[in-house]
Each structure stands twice: as C-alpha cells, then as structure tokens.
Amino acid sequence: MGSAADRRRKAGYAQGLDSPTKSRKAGKGRVALIGWREYVDLPEWGIRKILAKVDTGARSSAIDVSHVEELPGDRVRFEVISDRGGRVKRYPLEAPITRRTRVRSSFGTTHDRIFVEVTVRLAEREFRTEVGLVDRENMICRMLLGRKSLEKLYRVDPGRCYLHGKRRHRRRPRRVKGTG
C-alpha cells in the first residue's frame, strides 16, 4: 500500500503542515505551498517569469547579473539577465545598495557581495527581500531564493516544481519537407 509518507502525500498533506491542503494558494495569514523550482516576477524592475531555485539551505537570495558598477551615493548599476538560453534578455537597472558583506559559496569560497532590495511576486503574494548581485552564468536558474526570503510565507515541497505555473513556450510552425 505504500509508506505512511506516501499516503500522507496522496491525501494532500504538504510537508510541514498538519492538515490536508485544499489549494496551493494561501489566503491571508496562511502559508503557501511552493515547489523547489518556480517562476517569479520582479514587478518594480519590469521582469516577468524569471526562473528561481528555492533553496532552504541558502540563507540569502541571489540574482544573475552582469556589468556591476558602483556609483556615488551608495548606489549600483547592473544588468539582470533573465535567460542565458538562445534569446538573452537583459534589463539595465540602478538601485540603492542595502548592504555589502562577505558570502561563502556552496563551493566553500568567500566573496564580497553587494545586496539590493526588490519586490518579488510568487504564488499570488508579493514580498520585499534582499538579493545579492552575482554572476550565475553556469547555473540553470537565474535566481536563488534563500530561506530568509521564504520564512513565514511559504512551505517548500522538495519533490515538486512549478506549482504556480510553468512558462509557456511559443510553438514554432513546423517546416514542411521540400518547401525550402
């Protein structure tokens, strides 16, 4: 019949919650269930559907940027890269620096990192969070959401992803053989 965990999962229990969840959407004061990979919006920067990895093992959040330039008055200019695939979309932005700190990467090396604050929209909720400006060129996800951004708002189901929508790809018209 399966383990108790399998029966709980099939009954609709979310990890860490004591009762079955009727919906992945959370009402006021409720915790929303999200997957380990989700698309998020950054409305104040005009960015929609950026791929984010939800990482409860990481304390802080990070976003893929290039051309970081510190400006006078504790400001920074940078470009957010929303996709490293075939169509690279860049968003030139400027924001106030909220803090500078040394961060240890998952590889164990330390780096100085600049943090800025941004509004994130996920699972029909918006929240303010700090994100580190970092080159994530070799990573699949353009953004990483750490546990400080998620606490008290979300529960993560590590076995599922895209609980709040997967980006739709445009269908390309099929080529008919022999027409060029």
Side-chain angles (χ1 to χ4, degrees):
M1 174 116 178
S3 70
D6 289 337
R7 288 190 301 275
R8 285 177 56 82
R9 192 174 298 119
K10 286 179 184 172
Y13 284 85
Q15 182 177 5
L17 299 178
D18 295 328
S19 62
T21 55
K22 292 184 172 73
S23 170
R24 293 184 299 244
K25 298 175 187 170
K28 193 169 187 152
R30 290 188 52 201
V31 175
L33 180 64
I34 59 175
W36 70 272
R37 188 184 287 177
E38 295 284 353
Y39 283 100
V40 300
D41 297 335
L42 308 174
E44 71 188 84
W45 290 352
I47 300 173
R48 291 186 33 83
K49 303 286 187 189
I50 189 167
L51 185 58
K53 177 182 178 184
V54 177
D55 188 352
T56 57
R59 182 178 305 141
S60 59
S61 298
I63 191 162
D64 186 22
V65 298
S66 66
H67 301 95
V68 177
E69 177 187 352
E70 289 193 53
L71 302 172
D74 270 349
R75 294 188 67 77
V76 64
R77 182 179 299 140
F78 55 96
E79 285 185 348
V80 171
I81 302 166
S82 68
D83 193 358
R84 292 266 187 186
R87 282 189 285 221
V88 175
K89 182 110 182 187
R90 297 176 183 271
Y91 296 86
L93 299 163
E94 191 176 306
I97 296 171
T98 56
R99 70 180 167 110
R100 293 177 175 89
T101 191
R102 292 187 72 78
V103 175
R104 185 173 32 248
S105 75
S106 58
F107 302 112
T109 58
T110 57
H111 304 281
D112 291 327
R113 192 169 292 170
I114 294 173
F115 285 83
V116 298
E117 199 168 272
V118 67
T119 300
V120 176
R121 183 182 303 135
L122 170 60
E124 298 182 9
R125 288 185 171 189
E126 288 188 1
F127 60 94
R128 298 283 295 166
T129 192
E130 272 190 334
V131 292
L133 305 181
V134 64
D135 180 356
R136 293 181 54 83
E137 180 177 11
N138 297 323
M139 307 295 177
I140 294 170
C141 299
R142 304 286 47 96
M143 188 170 185
L144 181 123
L145 286 174
R147 68 178 173 266
K148 284 298 203 183
S149 298
L150 305 169
E151 63 186 4
K152 299 180 183 163
L153 294 174
Y154 302 99
R155 295 277 184 200
V156 181
D157 184 339
R160 298 175 65 195
C161 56
Y162 308 119
L163 296 180
H164 297 278
K166 191 168 181 177
R167 183 171 61 179
R168 293 194 176 125
H169 296 283
R170 287 188 216 153
R171 296 194 73 149
R172 294 182 186 158
R174 287 188 175 183
R175 286 188 191 178
V176 179
K177 289 185 180 181
T179 60

